[in-house]
């Protein structure tokens, strides 16, 4: 089977009140011949990228057309845990433990155990594995959320884990999100397969272990752990 769009464990903007699980056994997600950043991804939670109008609706628009000015905190949310397991097949772009903007109130787990690959050779970017959400930067600065909201609550997860057992990751591996926060602990287990670039215990552009600030109590409650047991990494390995 081939899916030219993206695969989500949650809803487009709706809510999953318990756990979400994505299991891929074969086939392809995305079109390897036509790179597009928002297609060809696998997400453990929902999309949540539609925006609502915080004030008046402009002419030519409707209340629910998704083209507003503010993100909805609970759009695409998974209230339980989210699990993504790639047991076969190929993913043209990225794999995320949580959603595009959708948060996971519980923990996320991503396992790559495929004879195929994550990413496409020669693509301008992509081919990465993230333990948490894609998210978006500068939500407050760009007025994309209500002024009273904490941006760290958007696209967040409690704990995240990534396990690479088999297959080729053509980009890098991140224990955290691209721009989505991990509040608690992060675990990266590298048992097999190949990573073409680097491995990071933390996120690409996002913070991890944020539930307690440095020096606060209880100290060192949440840690980031990276265990290299068998994976071949072409680039570097970073604990954070």
């Amino acid at each position: 089977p081939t899916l030219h769009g993206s695969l989500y464990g949650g809803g487009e903007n709706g809510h999953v009140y318990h756990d979400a699980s994505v299991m891929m056994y074969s086939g392809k997600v995305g079109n390897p011949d036509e790179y597009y950043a928002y297609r060809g991804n696998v997400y453990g939670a929902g999309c949540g990228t539609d925006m609502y109008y915080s004030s008046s609706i402009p002419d030519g628009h409707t209340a629910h057309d998704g083209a507003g000015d503010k993100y909805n905190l609970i759009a695409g949310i998974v209230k339980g845990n989210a699990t993504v397991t790639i047991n076969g097949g190929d993913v043209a772009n990225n794999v995320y433990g949580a959603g595009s903007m959708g948060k996971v109130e519980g923990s996320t787990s991503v396992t790559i155990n495929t004879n195929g690959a994550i990413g496409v050779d020669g693509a301008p970017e992509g081919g990465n594995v993230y333990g948490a959400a894609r998210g978006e930067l500068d939500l407050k600065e760009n007025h994309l959320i209500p002024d009273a909201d904490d941006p760290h609550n958007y696209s967040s997860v409690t704990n995240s884990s990534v396990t690479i057992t088999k297959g080729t990751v053509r980009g890098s591996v991140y224990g955290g999100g691209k721009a989505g926060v991990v509040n608690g602990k992060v675990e990266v287990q590298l048992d097999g397969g190949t990573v073409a670039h680097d491995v990071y215990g933390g996120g690409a552009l996002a913070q991890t272990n944020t539930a307690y600030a440095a020096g606060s109590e209880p100290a060192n409650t949440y840690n980031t752990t990276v265990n290299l047991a068998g994976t071949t990494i072409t680039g570097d390995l970073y604990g954070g």
Side-chain angles (χ1 to χ4, degrees):
T2 299
L3 174 65
H4 281 197
S6 290
L7 175 60
Y8 294 88
E12 182 179 9
N13 293 292
H15 314 145
V16 174
Y17 284 91
H18 297 286
D19 296 337
S21 178
V22 174
M23 298 282 291
M24 182 173 170
Y25 295 99
S26 63
K28 299 180 186 297
V29 174
N31 182 359
D33 299 321
E34 185 181 32
Y35 177 80
Y36 181 55
Y38 297 103
R39 296 171 69 84
N41 301 294
V42 175
Y43 297 95
C47 183
T49 57
D50 283 4
M51 304 175 81
Y52 68 91
Y53 296 99
S54 60
S55 55
S56 60
I57 301 171
D59 291 341
H61 292 266
T62 60
H64 303 294
D65 63 7
D69 58 298
K70 296 286 189 292
Y71 284 117
N72 188 327
L73 176 62
I74 59 173
I77 192 173
V78 171
K79 289 183 172 290
N81 301 315
T83 304
V84 176
T85 306
I86 310 297
N87 272 334
D90 300 283
V91 178
N93 204 350
N94 300 316
V95 176
Y96 299 89
S100 183
M101 283 298 292
K103 68 184 292 182
V104 175
E105 289 190 345
S107 297
T108 57
S109 173
V110 176
T111 300
I112 307 299
N113 182 43
T114 178
N115 288 321
I118 311 301
V120 177
D121 234 355
E125 57 179 296
N128 301 314
V129 176
Y130 300 92
R134 180 178 67 83
E136 187 165 330
L137 293 174
D138 301 326
L139 294 173
K140 183 78 76 175
E141 292 79 358
N142 292 327
H143 308 290
L144 299 176
I145 61 175
D147 291 340
D149 283 7
D150 182 353
H152 291 99
N153 288 331
Y154 285 75
S155 310
S156 63
V157 309
T158 298
N159 304 303
S160 66
S161 71
V162 175
T163 301
I164 310 295
T165 304
K166 186 171 60 174
T168 300
V169 177
R170 299 196 189 279
S172 295
V173 173
Y174 300 87
K178 184 173 184 179
V181 169
V182 180
N183 293 316
K185 67 180 180 179
V186 179
E187 296 178 347
V188 178
Q189 181 68 35
L190 304 166
D191 292 329
T194 301
V195 177
H197 292 287
D198 305 314
V199 174
Y200 301 84
L205 304 168
Q207 295 177 324
T208 58
N209 314 135
T210 63
Y212 295 99
S216 65
E217 295 295 335
N220 301 320
T221 299
Y222 298 116
N223 298 313
T224 295
T225 303
V226 180
N227 184 26
L228 177 59
T231 302
T232 299
I233 303 169
T234 304
D236 299 316
L237 187 152
Y238 301 89

